[in-house]
Amino acid sequence: MPKRVTLGNSKQAIQLEKKPFAAGGEGELFRIVSPPVYRQFVVKLYFKDKRTEKQATKIQYLIQNPPDIV
C-alpha cells in the first residue's frame, strides 16, 4: 500500500510510492504518486531521531529561501 502524508500547513494529503528510491543518514526520498500536480517533486521523510528543532529550523529556512534551479 502506498504511503500517505500531509503536505505542510495546507493539510493536503499526498500519496507516495511504497518504497523509497534513495536513503541516507537523515531520511528517505519518495516519489509522489498523487495529486498529479506534485509528480515532478519528491518527498524526504526524516528518520524519527533526526527530527530535531535544529532540523525544523533548517527546513523552514529552505522553504522561505528556495534554491535557484539552474
Side-chain angles (χ1 to χ4, degrees), residues 1 3 15-17 19 27 32 36 43 48 51-52 64 68 70:
M1 175 175 246
K3 286 183 169 284
Q15 186 175 344
L16 311 177
E17 287 186 340
K19 296 183 179 181
I32 297 174
V43 169
K48 248 186 184 173
R51 297 179 200 166
T52 64
Q64 294 168 357
D68 291 329
V70 182

Side-chain angles (χ1 to χ4, degrees), residues 40-41 65-70:
Q40 75 269 24
F41 299 105
N65 302 279
D68 291 329
I69 298 175
V70 182

Side-chain angles (χ1 to χ4, degrees), residues 2-70:
K3 286 183 169 284
R4 289 186 179 271
V5 295
T6 304
L7 184 62
N9 293 333
S10 72
K11 304 297 182 203
Q12 181 177 13
I14 55 175
Q15 186 175 344
L16 311 177
E17 287 186 340
K18 271 201 253 191
K19 296 183 179 181
F21 69 88
E26 293 181 326
E28 299 173 315
L29 296 173
F30 293 85
R31 288 185 178 86
I32 297 174
V33 175
S34 70
V37 69
Y38 295 120
R39 282 191 185 150
Q40 75 269 24
F41 299 105
V42 299
V43 169
K44 182 174 187 178
L45 297 181
Y46 287 88
F47 298 130
K48 248 186 184 173
D49 65 325
K50 299 296 180 182
R51 297 179 200 166
T52 64
E53 190 62 38
K54 181 180 177 183
Q55 197 67 350
T57 301
K58 175 184 168 184
I59 292 167
Q60 281 302 320
Y61 177 83
L62 290 171
I63 290 169
Q64 294 168 357
N65 302 279
D68 291 329
I69 298 175
V70 182

